[in-house]
Amino acid sequence: MSVRACTHIAVGLMLATAACAPVASGALRGANDGANDGGVTRRDERQYIGSYGDVRAVAVSRRYVYAATPSGVGVYDRIRGAWDAPFTRENGLVDAQITVIAGDPVEEAVWIGVPGAVVMYRPLTEQVLRTMIVGIPDVIVFDKSAAGDAYVRAGGQWTRVSRAGVAFSAAQPPQPASVVVPKTLNDLLLQFPSLRSPQMMLGRNQRADRALPNYAITSGASSPERASEVWLGTNGDGLYRVDPTFQEATALRFGPMESGIGALALAADGVWAAGLGESRLRGGLSFSSNDLQRWRWIDGTISVSLVGVRVNALSVRAQRAWMATDRGVVRVRLDAGEAVAIWTELDGLPDARINAIAPRGEGAWAGTSRGLAWVNDSVETRDRRSRNIGVRLLEGTPVFALQQIGDSLWIGTATGLMVLSASGQLTRPSSADPALRRPVRAMTWSDSVLLVATDEGVLALALNATREPMRVQTIDVRSVGQITRIAMDDRTIWLAGSNGVLVVARSGVATRLLRIPLDLPGPALDVVASRDWLWIATPFGLVRVRRVGDGGLP
């Protein structure tokens, strides 16, 4: 995208930034939190993370555990006890087409069977070898000789594949005594009968207010050097490390609870993500640390199920996460109790379709498709009178965006921009600009500047001055398609939409567009930024992008 300077001096002054804080030295390798190697790899710059809860197959090499899911292959380093960067579509792997997977007994590699090919992936060097074969692979075994080639069965025919990726037709099947056959789940069930009733191990942390999990064990593998170390994959609860001898199990979660992410909110050391409700396995709230190593999943309760619930906006305040969903307002406590409450039309909301949320004190303002309402969240939630819907405003008017600034609430509606004062007075900004009376899709605020995004452009309002709103000339809203969110800090502005994310320096010097599918796997539904990271929500997962010293992207 061409570089353009801001053409209006007033806007340039309003969006001018202070001196940029330096970015911490060092880099992550992929998703690792490892030692500083003095540089930033491509995966450090941009990392795509889908859901790895539905594990279809598991394989183990001497160092790594590989969990095959519809989002790709998760790679867990057993030595460091940390997740490496996953093997995904960005490396050439086609989603949901893995038919068989096997850990290499000779080197740190995994062999993956897909229709018409076998793929060898070496995580230490990120090398990928794809060898074309005829048919759909269903078995992979390894030669015991020094060469250690793989034998792949596809369509009843065997093919020998060398470590250089050369395929040879095998005249006859390999002899059982001459090959290494990775253990399957059935082999493990025969060896450890206790695995046939896994709930004693996997469900020990069951909460009384949560539904009993019924996740099935879908796959398994054992460590080559530890007879009692077993790795199990489930169809919704991710990967487990299990010691069947002592009946111990450890959950090793990676990725958000579901791949489709509808809304984001920053945490002190990471990000909270809420889903689109497309998964029928589970739904709720997911947390990721900045280094992608610590993941936390919060499900709905027996009385408030979050499966199939689409979240349109998310805000976190004082250990409470407020979610604007298509079924009402949901509040999740982020403490150890993880209590969940919901408000719907039965409680007095003007509409169950919530587009925006703005928490404040013991409650939150909810922007619905038919007006604005105050949701009261008293500590005593058992008293229905203490958790009712309070003030209702703008009856029948769709509210798309909310922004709390001090004691005032700025409201983006289908009929333009409005502000609710601390005294409860609802007014329009004193401006002759007709753009402020058109639908407001998104808003953001920083450094006494409020940005208002409409279908025609982005306007900047200086809240501590009496000047008229100014058009931000460096932002072309048409480049992102349908606007979903706008965000800003002291250095950068981000405009998210159905076609990607527009990145604009607040100094007005340069712009950049993250496009689909080159930079993003799908439409950008939300965007938030911390000092070092930009997080983007898409229907296919999270995208984490490293920020450079001036606030932009590599």
Side-chain angles (χ1 to χ4, degrees):
M1 189 173 183
S2 61
V3 177
R4 300 183 298 173
C6 183
T7 58
H8 202 293
I9 297 177
V11 175
L13 292 174
M14 291 172 65
L15 301 181
T17 60
C20 296
V23 175
S25 61
L28 303 175
R29 172 177 165 75
N32 295 343
D33 188 20
N36 179 10
D37 60 5
V40 178
T41 67
R42 183 174 181 83
R43 288 198 179 188
D44 291 322
E45 296 176 357
R46 180 173 56 88
Q47 181 67 63
Y48 155 71
I49 302 291
S51 175
Y52 288 78
D54 184 11
V55 180
R56 307 289 178 84
V58 179
V60 185
S61 64
R62 293 177 299 177
R63 175 170 179 172
Y64 292 101
V65 181
Y66 309 92
T69 75
S71 295
V73 178
V75 181
Y76 182 77
D77 190 328
R78 294 195 292 139
I79 296 178
R80 294 188 305 107
W83 288 96
D84 204 343
F87 182 43
T88 67
R89 69 180 71 181
E90 295 188 334
N91 311 101
L93 179 68
V94 179
D95 292 354
Q97 287 197 353
I98 297 175
T99 59
V100 63
I101 184 171
D104 197 299
V106 177
E107 61 173 312
E108 298 306 334
V110 61
W111 295 73
I112 304 168
V114 297
V118 60
V119 179
M120 182 185 184
Y121 175 62
R122 296 181 172 100
L124 290 175
T125 60
E126 298 185 4
Q127 182 186 23
V128 180
L129 289 178
R130 178 181 291 268
T131 303
M132 307 305 294
I133 61 175
V134 178
I136 300 177
D138 58 3
V139 174
I140 299 176
V141 298
F142 300 92
D143 190 357
K144 284 185 177 180
S145 67
D149 293 345
Y151 283 95
V152 182
R153 189 181 70 182
Q157 300 296 318
W158 287 92
T159 302
R160 181 167 182 160
V161 182
S162 73
R163 297 184 173 277
V166 181
F168 305 91
S169 178
Q172 58 184 5
Q175 298 300 314
S178 65
V179 294
V180 177
V181 182
K183 287 185 177 181
T184 65
L185 177 59
N186 288 334
D187 297 329
L188 296 175
L189 294 177
L190 290 174
Q191 183 179 359
F192 303 106
S194 61
L195 297 178
R196 297 182 183 275
S197 301
Q199 298 304 326
M200 292 295 294
M201 292 182 291
L202 307 189
R204 286 180 175 174
N205 296 324
Q206 173 67 26
R207 294 177 179 271
D209 62 342
R210 262 61 176 182
L212 290 174
N214 58 353
Y215 308 115
I217 293 178
T218 56
S219 52
S222 61
S223 299
E225 80 289 358
R226 300 175 186 173
S228 62
E229 185 176 75
V230 173
W231 304 84
L232 299 179
T234 68
N235 66 342
D237 209 28
L239 180 69
Y240 276 84
R241 180 177 57 221
V242 176
D243 186 338
T245 303
F246 292 95
Q247 297 285 292
E248 295 178 347
T250 302
L252 300 170
R253 287 169 176 164
F254 184 65
M257 189 178 297
E258 57 177 299
S259 288
I261 305 299
L264 301 172
L266 283 179
D269 56 346
V271 68
W272 288 97
L276 290 176
E278 297 174 345
S279 172
R280 292 299 174 260
L281 297 174
R282 64 194 308 174
L285 196 60
S286 304
F287 167 80
S288 170
S289 59
N290 286 322
D291 59 7
L292 304 178
Q293 292 302 314
R294 291 180 291 113
W295 294 86
R296 180 184 176 189
W297 296 350
I298 302 179
D299 292 277
T301 62
I302 296 175
S303 59
V304 184
S305 174
L306 298 179
V307 177
V309 175
R310 180 188 179 99
V311 180
N312 302 312
L314 175 66
S315 184
V316 174
R317 177 186 172 93
Q319 287 297 300
R320 299 178 188 182
W322 291 87
M323 296 189 287
T325 80
D326 59 352
R327 301 183 189 178
V329 174
V330 176
R331 187 266 295 138
V332 179
R333 291 189 180 274
L334 304 180
D335 54 18
E338 299 180 353
V340 181
I342 187 170
W343 290 261
T344 66
E345 290 173 300
L346 298 177
D347 297 293
L349 282 176
D351 197 295
R353 297 166 296 174
I354 314 300
N355 305 312
I357 197 79
R360 181 180 180 182
E362 290 296 322
W365 287 102
T368 80
S369 295
R370 290 189 294 182
L372 179 69
W374 169 257
V375 177
N376 183 38
D377 182 30
S378 172
V379 175
E380 183 54 63
T381 57
R382 289 174 294 179
D383 183 358
R384 298 290 296 181
R385 293 172 300 176
S386 68
R387 57 178 301 274
N388 61 357
I389 303 301
V391 180
R392 288 175 45 158
L393 302 170
L394 300 171
E395 294 282 354
T397 302
V399 176
F400 301 131
L402 297 173
Q403 180 64 57
Q404 187 77 45
I405 304 177
D407 293 331
S408 300
L409 178 69
W410 293 79
I411 310 165
T413 76
T415 59
L417 183 65
M418 306 192 76
V419 58
L420 180 65
S421 67
S423 61
Q425 184 178 7
L426 188 64
T427 60
R428 289 187 180 274
S430 56
S431 172
D433 196 326
L436 294 182
R437 284 160 177 77
R438 294 174 183 143
V440 175
R441 303 299 180 184
M443 290 187 294
T444 188
W445 175 79
S446 179
D447 303 328
S448 299
V449 176
L450 176 68
L451 294 186
V452 178
T454 70
D455 294 330
E456 290 78 27
V458 175
L459 291 86
L461 286 75
L463 302 185
N464 57 357
T466 58
R467 66 171 67 98
E468 282 286 302
M470 297 296 178
R471 305 286 179 120
V472 184
Q473 302 294 339
T474 49
I475 299 180
D476 181 7
V477 297
R478 297 170 298 178
S479 62
V480 300
Q482 180 64 47
I483 297 172
T484 55
R485 205 77 83 221
I486 188 170
M488 172 176 63
D489 65 5
D490 61 335
R491 298 175 287 175
T492 315
I493 302 169
W494 301 271
L495 184 67
S498 56
N499 294 341
V501 176
L502 184 66
V503 185
V504 182
R506 285 188 63 178
S507 60
V509 175
T511 61
R512 178 181 173 186
L513 180 63
L514 301 179
R515 301 176 182 271
I516 303 171
L518 181 62
D519 303 302
L520 301 176
L525 303 180
D526 200 355
V527 57
V528 295
S530 63
R531 179 172 172 269
D532 297 323
W533 302 103
L534 174 68
W535 300 87
I536 304 171
T538 78
F540 303 100
L542 280 171
V543 177
R544 187 199 65 173
V545 186
R546 177 179 286 275
R547 301 178 66 187
V548 295
D550 61 357
L553 305 180

